Amino acid sequence: GPYLKKAIDHQVQSSWAFPILNSEREVLGTFTFYYPPPLTKKPTQDENLLRTFVQLAGITLERFRNREQTEQILKEMHSSQERLNLDIAARRMGVWDWNLQEDILIWDENMFEMFGLTKDQARGDISDWIRCVPPEEAQESFELLNQAIRHKPEFARQYRAIKNGEIRFMKCVGQVTRNEAGDVIRMTGLNWDITDRVHVNNRLEQERAKVIANSKMASLGEMASGLAHEINNPLTIILNRASQLKAKIE
């Protein structure tokens, strides 16, 4: 065959092959080394170097195979991901992902804009979020997160944040992800600004309070008017009788 001809052309007289294994110890192929002189014994002086080459080949092949397998999945997810991104952008929602084991916090563009930070200002850990909220809000949020870690797969919270010196109101929902051992490895969720809604609700509550106060004042006025009428009637009779008595005396 063609390989035999090439071996003869290059005066190859011996070879040494290693199995190429992936991380699961499955055989992906073989890595063969060729030698011009015939081998009478295993070339131990080259063994460590050759095994290193084989291990690198296994890592490379495994990554390539995994990439091929995931490309189809990613392709299928692409259209739905685009629709999700459009929906998130339309609702002005920010997406975040927090790796608890390594303390790596990932924000999308909406999150940076929402909190008034740039990527250059971010450290990429939970301190990015902590410095954007009042201390008491951070403490209460962490207490809620600890409850979620212990008992619940999901959590939701409304809290205050500080953007460029201005108090903003945020809504956050998230989900806890655990590994096979049950340990929490990450949290992923959405965040959006509800400041306008909070202000509208506050104004409505203020107007409602005014209406109730005015209604109470009106009721008090009617009650006072009724009491005055009841009081005036006896006074009128008394004054009339006093006038009659005065006329008789004169």
Side-chain angles (χ1 to χ4, degrees):
Y3 295 106
L4 178 60
K5 184 178 183 304
K6 288 183 178 181
I8 295 174
D9 291 342
H10 291 84
Q11 299 180 346
V12 173
Q13 299 186 48
S14 58
S15 63
W16 191 19
F18 291 87
I20 302 175
L21 306 176
N22 63 11
S23 59
E24 303 295 330
R25 306 298 294 175
E26 298 172 339
V27 178
L28 303 178
T30 58
F31 207 123
T32 306
F33 299 90
Y34 298 93
Y35 295 85
L39 292 177
T40 57
K41 61 179 181 178
K42 184 169 67 172
T44 55
Q45 70 274 11
D46 297 332
E47 185 174 0
N48 289 336
L49 179 61
L50 298 180
R51 289 191 181 279
T52 300
F53 285 147
V54 173
Q55 290 174 358
L56 291 174
I59 293 171
T60 302
L61 286 174
E62 184 173 20
R63 287 181 177 177
F64 182 77
R65 289 183 62 183
N66 289 341
R67 186 179 64 185
E68 283 187 326
Q69 292 172 358
T70 56
E71 277 180 355
Q72 182 61 32
I73 298 174
L74 291 173
K75 185 177 180 180
E76 294 173 357
M77 292 175 62
H78 183 68
S79 58
S80 60
Q81 182 65 45
E82 283 186 338
R83 291 193 296 269
L84 177 60
N85 288 340
L86 288 173
D87 186 58
I88 289 174
R91 297 172 182 266
R92 303 293 296 169
M93 290 182 175
V95 181
W96 55 269
D97 182 276
W98 183 22
N99 182 328
L100 276 74
Q101 294 183 333
E102 301 179 21
D103 189 19
I104 298 175
L105 180 63
I106 299 174
W107 282 359
D108 70 351
E109 296 290 342
N110 283 346
M111 287 292 291
F112 282 106
E113 193 280 330
M114 200 176 301
F115 289 98
L117 291 181
T118 64
K119 291 183 178 180
D120 294 336
Q121 295 172 323
R123 296 179 56 182
D125 55 36
I126 195 61
S127 66
D128 292 337
W129 178 80
I130 291 176
R131 63 174 167 164
C132 293
V133 299
E136 63 274 14
E137 291 288 357
Q139 181 178 353
E140 291 179 9
S141 294
F142 280 123
E143 290 175 358
L144 178 65
L145 292 179
N146 288 330
Q147 292 177 11
I149 289 173
R150 291 194 300 268
H151 307 295
K152 300 177 182 179
E154 300 175 350
F155 60 91
R157 174 166 169 74
Q158 178 179 321
Y159 64 94
R160 292 172 298 138
I162 304 173
K163 177 182 179 181
N164 300 326
E166 177 189 1
I167 293 294
R168 308 291 296 180
F169 294 89
M170 303 291 179
K171 181 73 174 182
C172 173
V173 295
Q175 186 169 12
V176 174
T177 302
R178 302 177 185 272
N179 59 18
E180 294 180 355
D183 300 323
V184 175
I185 57 176
R186 72 189 324 111
M187 292 182 175
T188 308
L190 299 173
N191 205 95
W192 62 99
D193 192 317
I194 59 171
T195 303
D196 292 341
R197 189 177 73 186
V198 170
H199 287 168
V200 169
N201 288 339
N202 288 342
R203 286 196 294 270
L204 289 175
E205 284 299 320
Q206 291 172 1
E207 292 299 323
R208 180 172 175 271
K210 287 181 182 178
V211 169
I212 293 175
N214 291 336
S215 176
K216 288 182 178 179
M217 290 300 296
S219 298
L220 288 173
E222 291 178 0
M223 185 182 298
S225 177
L227 288 172
H229 178 72
E230 294 297 327
I231 292 171
N232 285 335
N233 282 339
L235 286 176
T236 302
I237 297 172
I238 292 170
L239 290 173
N240 288 335
R241 293 298 295 172
S243 298
Q244 293 174 359
L245 288 173
K246 182 181 178 182
K248 289 183 177 179
I249 293 172
E250 293 177 349

